[in-house]
Amino acid sequence: MEKTIERLALYRRLLKNQSGKGNTHIFSHQLAGISGYSAAIVRRDLMNIGYYGTPRHGYEIKALIDCLNVFFNKPEVKSLILVGAGNLGRALIAYFIKDKTEYNLIAAFDSDPLKVNLKYNGCPCYSLEKIPELIAASQASVGIITVPAENAQSVADLLVENKIKGILNFAPVSLTVPESVYVENVDLALMLEKVLYFSVHHREGEKKNGMT
Amino acid sequence: MEKTIERLALYRRLLKNQSGKGNTHIFSHQLAGISGYSAAIVRRDLMNIGYYGTPRHGYEIKALIDCLNVFFNKPEVKSLILVGAGNLGRALIAYFIKDKTEYNLIAAFDSDPLKVNLKYNGCPCYSLEKIPELIAASQASVGIITVPAENAQSVADLLVENKIKGILNFAPVSLTVPESVYVENVDLALMLEKVLYFSVHHREGEKKNGMT
DNA sequence: ATTACTTTGTTAAATATATAACAATGTTTG
DNA sequence: CAAACATTGTTATATATTTAACAAAGTAAT
Ligand SMILES: NC(=O)c1ccc[n+]([C@@H]2O[C@H](COP(=O)([O-])OP(=O)(O)OC[C@H]3O[C@@H](n4cnc5c(N)ncnc54)[C@H](O)[C@@H]3O)[C@@H](O)[C@H]2O)c1
Ligand SMILES: NC(=O)c1ccc[n+]([C@@H]2O[C@H](COP(=O)([O-])OP(=O)(O)OC[C@H]3O[C@@H](n4cnc5c(N)ncnc54)[C@H](O)[C@@H]3O)[C@@H](O)[C@H]2O)c1
């Protein structure tokens, strides 16, 4: 189910793109082509959310986007905050501040007095004490953590205290949060390690890989 | 197997950390605790690479690190390059240039003349024409792509032509490469979408989620 | 020594995910 | 209008991954 949701979010983006190009219908194998998955999995995913196409015309793009919007609770745009306006944090601010229709990044927070009260790409940076106030005012429900590993847990605790329900964590630590809070860890160093590994071991043995 | 390798890379990092703290042994449940996985999965993963602990003392940290180093071909440090010294690219440069013992980021490349010949955190930025020369000289085998989506495929093609064997791609497109090249896509916008979704739907129904 | 514990390695079962297959259906073609 | 076709929805099968279970083995306590 989790994998399906990841793909659905991708389909949604790709379909909006296709719609922008003036296309009205799409086949499972076409969506498969642009998404990088298989046609079978596309059909199965769409079946899961209860959207039905027609054998000869495939899927109607607009209707499918609507269906995905309902699934993802759009157009309601949930508010976000980001903690840690360092190198990575600022790159993310620059990226997410752009698309107001999808993401509502309302503020960044940093413990460094030199950063407080600055604006990055128009996004205000506050001190940590402002977190309760700003979250309450904006009803933000998701937080992005881009602080050093040693401070990530305390930041997570602070976010949880203030009713944040989802965390995208870039610090290379396993966060402890209540079960009701969803955490997605993005460990970029590990991802690079994985590529380094498979750049060597990929394609050796094809179907067998000697380990089991 | 893929998931196992992701975790092994994490264990390796955590164990080096533990070793630095002076610990000599560790139990599966302890490694589970700091990694965020279960003890059963830790034991199973270590079984897979053929490392054996003892019932009462658990795993000997130093020996296990050695074993993981062999598995990951360390201390041989493979060279990397990065293409696209924009907001995200520069954040990654700053991060990966730091740890010379693990990553050997030899150069960045950008099509923007204003960026060419600058240095970011000591990492030189060249024009794209220099790619063949630099890859050949450094034997770099992995490339990080942080260019806009519309240019990502042409950059990937260029890297593949120049014998890159692994790509960490941050552009939100599905790259087409020969089967012998390994690609890991990191789509940060989709990851945020996922958190937005689960910040609402997490914990609703616990074991059941209504979608079979 | 014997007993009680703890933790491992490994097997077995459960769950999750992906692939393959194909009847049903609507479309086009002759 | 019937035959040929392409594509869907869905089921069945295969693979991957996780969880659970427990005998074997070493350790500590008595
Ligand atoms: N930069 C990358 O490309 C990269 C790659 C992999 C992982 N990461 C991880 O992402 C995180 C951020 O990396 P970075 O390169 O941006 O680091 P950075 O040092 O550039 O930025 C960290 C920021 O967090 C702020 N900060 C520190 N403690 C804080 C606290 N308690 N509350 C609020 N703000 C606080 C600092 O003032 C700084 O602005 C780190 O955990 C790092 O390991 C970054
Ligand atoms: N910044 C983020 O946090 C973020 C988040 C999600 C996804 N991304 C993706 O990562 C990529 C980079 O994002 P960014 O924010 O750093 O963008 P950016 O515009 O800041 O940087 C892109 C860089 O690539 C360079 N470039 C463009 N075409 C090139 C080419 N053909 N060859 C070499 N260099 C080229 C540009 O000169 C620029 O320096 C994009 O694909 C973006 O969608 C970024």
Side-chain angles (χ1 to χ4, degrees), chain A residues 86-88 110-112 115 128 146-149 151 170-172, chain B residues 91-92 95:
Chain A
N87 291 310
L88 182 58
D110 203 292
S111 60
D112 181 351
K115 289 178 176 141
L128 290 179
T146 46
V147 301
N151 303 320
F170 288 85
Chain B
L92 293 170
Y95 189 80

Side-chain angles (χ1 to χ4, degrees), chain A residues 2 45 78 140 158 176 184 194:
Chain A
E2 199 172 313
D45 286 341
K78 278 181 281 297
L158 184 58
T176 301
E184 174 84 7
K194 189 176 166 190

Side-chain angles (χ1 to χ4, degrees), chain A residues 12 16 65-79 99-104, chain B residues 193 196 200:
Chain A
R12 181 167 166 275
K16 286 202 292 180
I65 291 173
D66 287 346
C67 181
L68 287 166
N69 282 340
V70 169
F71 185 80
F72 285 107
N73 268 300
K74 311 278 177 177
E76 184 203 341
V77 178
K78 278 181 281 297
S79 298
D99 193 348
K100 276 280 173 197
T101 63
E102 288 288 338
Y103 315 107
N104 186 27
Chain B
E193 286 287 357
L196 286 167
V200 176

Side-chain angles (χ1 to χ4, degrees), chain A:
Chain A
M1 205 35 231
E2 199 172 313
K3 291 292 167 67
T4 295
I5 285 161
E6 291 175 15
R7 287 188 299 262
L8 289 173
L10 173 59
Y11 301 156
R12 181 167 166 275
R13 177 205 286 161
L14 295 169
L15 290 167
K16 286 202 292 180
N17 210 312
Q18 291 295 311
S19 186
K21 288 185 189 164
N23 297 340
T24 61
H25 291 77
I26 195 167
F27 294 127
S28 62
H29 65 264
Q30 294 177 307
L31 192 45
I34 54 180
S35 68
Y37 297 106
S38 72
I41 221 169
V42 167
R43 291 203 298 277
R44 182 173 255 282
D45 286 341
L46 298 189
M47 188 182 90
N48 276 336
I49 59 167
Y51 180 78
Y52 298 103
T54 54
R56 198 60 182 207
H57 297 118
Y59 304 98
E60 201 200 323
I61 293 177
K62 273 216 146 61
L64 179 48
I65 291 173
D66 287 346
C67 181
L68 287 166
N69 282 340
V70 169
F71 185 80
F72 285 107
N73 268 300
K74 311 278 177 177
E76 184 203 341
V77 178
K78 278 181 281 297
S79 298
L80 306 173
I81 61 167
L82 179 147
V83 186
N87 291 310
L88 182 58
R90 291 196 304 272
L92 294 170
I93 291 170
Y95 190 80
F96 288 119
I97 205 88
K98 269 187 285 190
D99 193 348
K100 276 280 173 197
T101 63
E102 288 288 338
Y103 315 107
N104 186 27
L105 177 57
I106 57 147
F109 299 90
D110 203 292
S111 60
D112 181 351
L114 292 175
K115 289 178 176 141
V116 171
N117 293 326
L118 294 184
K119 282 198 173 194
Y120 296 109
N121 296 81
C123 178
C125 182
Y126 301 106
S127 76
L128 290 179
E129 294 90 64
K130 294 270 188 180
I131 284 186
E133 179 186 332
L134 270 286
I135 291 183
S138 66
Q139 294 287 309
S141 59
V142 166
I144 301 174
I145 296 182
T146 46
V147 301
E150 52 272 27
N151 303 320
Q153 182 63 56
S154 69
V155 168
D157 293 343
L158 184 58
L159 296 185
V160 168
E161 271 171 39
N162 287 281
K163 310 264 186 306
I164 287 290
K165 288 294 166 217
I167 294 176
L168 184 60
N169 171 44
F170 288 85
V173 285
S174 167
L175 299 177
T176 301
V177 298
E179 281 203 291
S180 63
V181 176
Y182 181 83
V183 176
E184 174 84 7
N185 291 300
V186 185
D187 195 320
L188 300 177
L190 288 186
M191 287 174 161
L192 180 57
E193 286 287 356
K194 189 176 166 190
V195 176
L196 287 166
Y197 179 86
F198 283 112
S199 73
V200 176
H201 295 97
H202 191 52
R203 300 280 104 189
E204 269 182 16
E206 198 80 7
K207 285 282 134 192
K208 297 197 51 151
N209 58 13
M211 188 191 274
T212 299

